[in-house]
Amino acid sequence: MERGVRIFLQTIAILLTLGITANAQPDESIGHFILVNAETDKDIQRIYENDVITIPAGINYSVRFHPLETPGSIQFTMGGGILRTENQAPYSIAGDGNGNYMPWTGPDEIWGLTANIYSEPMAKGTLLYQTTISFEIKRDPPSEHCPGAGRILWEYWDNVSGTTVSAIPVGTPPTRTDQLTSFEGPTNIDTNYGARIRGYICPPVTGDYIFWIASNDHSELWLSTDDNPANKRKIANLTNATGVYEWEKFPSQKSARIALTAGKRYYIEALHKQGVGSDHVAVGWRLPGGTLERPIGGYRLSPVKPSYNMPPVVSIYDPDATHIFIAPAYVPIGVSASDPDGTVTNVEFFGGSNKIGEDRNAPYSFVWA
């Protein structure tokens, strides 16, 4: 819907988390290699010798070496050629800028990657240690039938008392909404609220899947037999809190095996009731081949379109509370405006109840004389 706006703005940043599974091997004595999500700068998982790791198509990654003791520098080599020399952490094969990882653009089959640990910067001084690893990254192609949109709908209701999921007023429009980039709600944002995460999930292969939910406090996970929410059924729940990503604390938080068909879209919904203290909720699954994605990434998900209409939001960013103007004066006013489920066409400015100006083009501003 297109309309003007006159209300406050709140935003929430969500981090993409990627889950994978690899083969366990003994610990290295001088350090270890770690697969990193180059989009979120978060560690994904430790890499072991001869791992074959499946990640979604389009996800950028890098590899870093984590030494047990701080070296002078680390030089990466592969196939006898020098890849990169890093003088300070994080020691990654593609480099970084202030901890923001650059993506690896080399082959996904990484054989004979060696980390050479030196006593001085620029790979000088004594070669203290070296360790070599070989592994392979496999790309999981997106489904042609129901490709994920990369997001899922998050709905939030504030001032909801009680601790049970039944207290969430899902029959009323939420206080606010957002789009999550993985099946994981924001953490430690408030107390006494209810939330719902809902949308569609697309299995990449046909077979039996197992789902998990982890939360603080109570939560329920529902899955439909198709894309119709009316056919949903509860497959897991929690009536006690777990830790973040604590997937195996209670039997009830894990579903039975559920047969799903590749390329078929299924409606999925998680309900979360927060009381007091810390708060979090996340949903994961195990693919038929054994790969764990916990939490489930946005590449498997697409949001549902809500039946209600959310109001637009606006906030004044200029001037702030520290500005003082002495009359007569010209006061520049700048605002940011957005509509969660529509388009902003104009912003009106009011002095008390009197309209003093209007702007139809972003960035929205007005000079009050």
Side-chain angles (χ1 to χ4, degrees), residues 1-5 305 309-312 339-345:
M1 179 178 292
E2 296 184 347
R3 53 186 163 175
V5 296
K305 186 175 181 180
N309 189 21
M310 291 297 294
D339 192 327
D341 52 9
T343 303
V344 175
T345 59

Side-chain angles (χ1 to χ4, degrees), residues 47-62:
I47 307 171
Y48 296 94
E49 178 67 18
N50 294 324
D51 271 352
V52 178
I53 303 168
T54 301
I55 65 174
I59 293 294
N60 291 319
Y61 69 91
S62 185

Side-chain angles (χ1 to χ4, degrees), residues 30 67-74 87-89 91 117-119 128:
I30 61 174
L68 299 186
E69 297 181 0
T70 302
S73 60
I74 294 181
N87 295 322
Q88 59 184 12
Y91 307 99
I117 295 91
Y118 286 85
S119 61
L128 301 175

Side-chain angles (χ1 to χ4, degrees), residues 239-264:
T239 56
N240 291 284
T242 71
V244 177
Y245 303 158
E246 190 176 12
W247 305 106
E248 305 286 353
K249 186 175 182 179
F250 301 105
S252 65
Q253 69 184 112
K254 178 181 178 180
S255 78
R257 293 178 180 269
I258 301 175
L260 302 177
T261 303
K264 182 178 178 180

Side-chain angles (χ1 to χ4, degrees), residues 6-28:
R6 303 181 193 173
I7 54 180
F8 65 90
L9 176 68
Q10 292 179 323
T11 60
I12 295 177
I14 308 299
L15 295 177
L16 170 69
T17 304
L18 171 66
I20 59 175
T21 296
N23 300 317
Q25 297 287 342
D27 293 346
E28 293 88 348

Side-chain angles (χ1 to χ4, degrees), residues 92-134:
S92 65
I93 62 174
D96 70 284
N98 296 321
N100 297 317
Y101 290 91
M102 300 296 294
W104 169 247
T105 57
D108 289 336
E109 294 182 357
I110 301 178
W111 307 114
L113 173 63
T114 299
N116 301 284
I117 295 91
Y118 286 85
S119 61
E120 297 180 13
M122 301 305 297
K124 297 186 181 299
T126 304
L127 176 60
L128 301 175
Y129 309 100
Q130 64 178 192
T131 181
T132 301
I133 195 170
S134 297

